[in-house]
Structure formats: C-alpha cells, structure tokens
Amino acid sequence: MLSTSELDTLAQQAVVDAYNEYEQLSAFHAVIEDHLIVPFQTTILGVEATVTKIDLLPGSGIVAICTREKHIRAVGILDLPTPPPTGAE
C-alpha cells in the first residue's frame, strides 16, 4: 500500500499539464488505463464480474466496464472493492 505522500506525488505527476477539472479527469483516466491490467475479476453487489476496460463517461467520470454473462455495467472506479488489481498503484 502506498503512503499518502507517495499517492500525492503520483497524483501531481498525473495532472502536471492539466489546466481544468476535465483535463485532470482525463489525465487520471489515461494513467489508470495505461497501468491497470485488465481484465480482472471483481465482486459487485455480491456477484462475480469481470472488468474488461476502464472508460471515461460524461457525467459519470472514470468507470470500470464490468461484464457477467450477457450483462454489462459501468461502475465508478472508486466503487470497486479492494484489494485492488495489479497496476492499481
């Protein structure tokens, strides 16, 4: 687990060239998409699902696209349970 100081440093690196909230959100999305290894398994409301991709949706922010059989659901990235998958740092 990273310390608060390490997390602050990573966040600053991610948004160094961002000039507004949308650019900051886009920068975080790009970093997460580059480093998070997908697919990975997670549990949503007690049901196993597979996170197949990370997306940036207007009005929702950064979301994990979760699938189970024929069902697809976007879940806020911060709403995913812990422990985090490889690359979540």
Side-chain angles (χ1 to χ4, degrees):
M1 191 77 173
L2 298 175
S3 71
T4 302
S5 175
E6 291 169 318
L7 288 172
D8 286 344
T9 299
L10 288 174
Q12 287 301 317
Q13 290 172 351
V15 299
V16 69
D17 292 327
Y19 296 104
N20 59 43
E21 282 185 26
Y22 181 76
E23 287 184 5
Q24 290 174 352
L25 190 59
S26 294
F28 274 116
H29 171 252
V31 169
I32 291 168
E33 194 172 46
D34 286 347
H35 295 290
L36 191 64
I37 297 172
V38 293
F40 63 89
Q41 294 300 117
T42 192
T43 303
I44 302 167
L45 300 173
V47 177
E48 284 286 317
T50 302
V51 174
T52 57
K53 101 181 213 185
I54 304 300
D55 207 350
L56 181 58
L57 299 180
S60 297
I62 301 170
V63 296
I65 305 300
C66 304
T67 61
R68 178 177 166 88
E69 298 170 2
K70 295 179 182 180
H71 303 282
I72 300 172
R73 177 176 217 99
V75 176
I77 193 82
L78 297 177
D79 295 329
L80 292 178
T82 56
T86 303
E89 304 77 31

